[in-house]
Amino acid sequence: MSSGEGRHGRHDLVPLAALLSREMKNEKMEKPSVSYGHAAQSRKGEDYFLIKTDCERVPGNPSSTFSVFAIFDGHNGNAAAIFTREHLLSLVLNAVPHGLGREEWLLALPRALVAGFVKTDKEFQRETSGTTATFVIVDAWTVTVASVGDSRCILDTQGGGISSLTVDHRLEENVEERERVTASGGEVGRLSIAGGAQIGPLRCWPGGLCLSRSIGDLDVGEFIVPIPYVKQVKLSNAGGRLIIASDGIWDALSSEMAAKSCRGLPAGLAARQVVKEALRTRGLKDDTTCIVVDIIPPDNSAQHLSPLKKQNILRAFLFRMRPRGSAHKPSKKLATVGIVEELFEEGSAMLAERLGNDDSAGQTCGLFTCAVCQVDLAPTEGISVHAGSIFSTSSKPWQGPFLCAGCRNKKDAMEGKRPSGV
C-alpha cells in the first residue's frame, strides 16, 4: 500500500465507539497486561528509543494508564533523534483536547499525532540532523502507531498472522512518494560518480536523503515532510506481540523472519534474539535496535507467543483488512475472539487532509487555536488550513481548522508553494 492512499477510517471499518462500548460490557475484555523488552547493538550511535509505561490520560488516575514505545533512528548526527525522544510525546499529548473520555481520546489521537510530529519538526529546524520516528501508543487493547521514515512496527498475533502497522518512506520503493517530492520541488536521483555512472539507492537532492519523510533534515528541504502514516487497531482478547525496530533489523530480516525468530520467548529474550538474528544474517553494518511488546490477556499474565505447533487455529486469528474498493460505510461487524480490527488508517502527506475540515475540527481544535502548535489566535489571526495560499483569502475564512502564520508558512513550504524558510 502506498503511503499517500488517504484513508480516514471510512471503508467498512468498525466504529470505535461500538468496539469500546462492547469492550466495557464484556468481562472477558478486561485490561491486558503489557510486558516488554529492549535490545540494541550500536555502530554509529544514532539510534534512540523511548519506553514509558506510566502515562495517564487523566493525571492522578491509575485506571487511565497507557504505554508509549518508540524508536528514533537518526542520521547526519544524533541531535534530531535526541530532540524527538525528549519532546514528541509531550507535544502529541498537548494536541489532544482536555477533558475527553477514553473513547473520545482515542478518536482524537490520529490528528494529535500529526500535529505533534509537525510541531516537533518545526521546533527542531535549526540544524541538518534528521531522524525517523516510529511511535506506538498502547491503551488496553487499542494500539495506535505513527511513523515517518523506515523504522517499522509489526504485529504478530497468537495464531501466526503477521501484519505491518507502518509504511516505509523510502524513495527507492515508494513511487507515490517520489512523485510527491518531485512535484513539491525536490530532485530524486542516484549518486553520480566519475564517468557519469549512477550508484546506490534513489535519494532526494540537495542533501542526498534516501527517505521521503522524517523529522529534521532542514538541509534537504521541507518537501521531506514530518507528516506521519498513522494506523490504529484493536486487538482481540487473545492479545498479540509488537516488534518495533530500526532499519538495522529490517535490512537483515523480513517481518516474518523477525517474528518467527523469537516466538516462544518472553519479551526481553525475544528482543535480544531478534537483534542476534539480524547480526547473524547481515553483520553489524548499522545501528540495530529492537523493542518487543507483548499485550497479554488478563487471565494469563505469564503468556507469551508460542511457536506454531497447531495449525488448526490459524484461521481464527486472521488480521481483518478492509477491501480497497469498499464503500464509505462503517462495518456492522464487531470484533470476535481472535480478530484484529482496523479502526483507522491514513497516510496522506497533505496537512489539510490530515487535520480534517470544520465538521471534525470543532471536536478537537479550539476555534481560535492553531491546530498544529496549539497557540491561541486572535479572531483575525487564524488562517484556514484549506486556504490556497498564505496570501489568499479562503472562500470561507471562518472554516477551520486554523493555523498560525508560522504553521501556515510551513504547510506551504512542505507542499512546494514557497521556498523553505521564507
Side-chain angles (χ1 to χ4, degrees):
M1 182 188 63
S2 62
S3 61
E5 291 180 349
R7 293 182 170 88
H8 296 274
R10 296 177 178 174
H11 306 295
D12 280 352
L13 295 187
V14 178
L16 180 58
L19 286 172
L20 295 177
S21 176
R22 173 173 175 154
E23 178 178 330
M24 294 175 63
K25 295 177 181 179
N26 189 344
E27 293 182 357
K28 294 184 179 180
M29 293 295 283
E30 296 174 5
K31 193 170 184 178
S33 59
V34 175
S35 176
Y36 61 89
H38 161 262
Q41 286 288 324
S42 177
R43 180 177 174 85
K44 297 182 291 186
E46 295 175 335
D47 272 11
Y48 288 82
F49 69 96
L50 173 67
I51 296 176
K52 189 171 176 60
T53 59
D54 58 352
C55 302
E56 293 178 344
R57 286 184 290 104
V58 181
N61 182 357
S63 66
S64 67
T65 300
F66 64 94
S67 300
V68 173
F69 306 90
I71 284 180
F72 313 103
D73 180 0
H75 45 264
N76 294 331
N78 59 12
I82 294 174
F83 183 91
T84 305
R85 181 187 64 176
E86 294 177 349
H87 297 282
L88 179 57
L89 174 58
S90 63
L91 292 175
V92 169
L93 297 182
N94 286 344
V96 180
H98 300 295
L100 299 181
R102 179 173 181 268
E103 176 183 322
E104 293 80 11
W105 190 86
L106 287 170
L107 285 168
L109 265 185
R111 183 179 288 113
L113 284 160
V114 172
F117 270 63
V118 175
K119 175 65 170 174
T120 302
D121 180 81
K122 184 170 177 278
E123 290 195 349
F124 178 72
Q125 295 280 295
R126 61 178 185 267
E127 45 185 300
T128 59
S129 175
T131 187
T132 73
T134 298
F135 191 84
V136 181
I137 296 176
V138 178
D139 187 326
W141 303 97
T142 302
V143 178
T144 308
V145 184
S147 62
V148 293
D150 58 1
S151 297
R152 191 182 301 172
C153 175
I154 66 171
L155 170 65
D156 186 11
T157 59
Q158 183 69 282
I162 302 169
S163 302
S164 178
L165 301 184
T166 54
V167 165
D168 287 350
H169 295 126
R170 286 186 172 182
L171 291 165
E172 181 73 31
E173 302 163 3
N174 197 316
V175 175
E176 191 167 351
E177 284 289 274
R178 292 202 300 269
E179 293 175 348
R180 178 189 63 78
V181 169
T182 54
S184 299
E187 180 180 346
V188 176
R190 304 185 192 280
L191 181 65
S192 296
I193 60 174
Q198 295 187 335
I199 61 172
L202 288 174
R203 301 174 184 270
C204 182
W205 305 96
L209 186 65
C210 299
L211 305 175
S212 61
R213 303 195 195 189
S214 68
I215 292 175
D217 291 306
L218 183 61
D219 60 324
V220 181
E222 291 204 63
F223 36 76
I224 304 299
V225 300
I227 299 175
Y229 169 89
V230 178
K231 190 163 189 173
Q232 187 177 73
V233 299
K234 181 177 181 293
L235 306 187
S236 75
N237 57 8
R241 164 169 285 179
L242 302 173
I243 301 177
I244 313 159
S246 63
D247 66 341
I249 296 291
W250 306 119
D251 285 343
L253 304 176
S254 67
S255 298
E256 291 74 17
M257 291 171 63
K260 291 178 181 178
S261 72
C262 65
R263 285 202 182 119
L265 298 175
L269 290 177
R272 291 195 285 273
Q273 180 60 31
V274 172
V275 171
K276 179 180 178 180
E277 186 67 16
L279 296 179
R280 185 189 66 81
T281 302
R282 188 170 179 260
L284 185 60
K285 296 184 178 180
D286 195 0
D287 293 336
T288 304
T289 304
C290 178
I291 300 172
V292 172
V293 182
D294 287 339
I295 300 170
I296 304 169
D299 58 350
N300 190 355
S301 60
Q303 175 179 332
H304 48 79
L305 296 182
S306 57
L308 293 181
K309 296 180 180 179
K310 298 182 179 179
Q311 296 298 327
N312 60 345
I313 63 172
L314 178 59
R315 293 185 180 273
F317 297 93
L318 297 178
F319 189 90
R320 187 186 299 277
M321 297 296 293
R322 292 171 293 172
R324 287 175 179 259
S326 56
H328 179 184
K329 293 181 180 179
S331 171
K332 295 181 180 179
K333 298 179 180 179
L334 294 176
T336 56
V337 174
I339 300 297
V340 177
E341 293 288 352
E342 182 180 306
L343 306 178
F344 180 94
E345 182 182 21
E346 177 59 85
S348 171
M350 305 301 290
L351 193 59
E353 295 182 14
R354 305 304 297 275
L355 296 179
N357 52 37
D358 55 348
D359 294 331
S360 60
Q363 301 173 13
T364 58
C365 301
L367 181 58
F368 300 116
T369 300
C370 176
V372 170
C373 66
Q374 311 304 309
V375 299
D376 293 331
L377 303 171
T380 58
E381 290 178 332
I383 305 168
S384 172
V385 71
H386 304 290
S389 167
I390 195 170
F391 296 113
S392 68
T393 302
S394 171
S395 58
K396 295 182 179 180
W398 61 87
Q399 190 175 54
F402 300 98
L403 301 176
C404 66
C407 289
R408 180 62 209 210
N409 184 23
K410 181 168 183 61
K411 174 183 179 294
D412 285 349
M414 288 191 295
E415 296 174 1
K417 296 177 181 177
R418 60 167 50 220
S420 175
V422 174

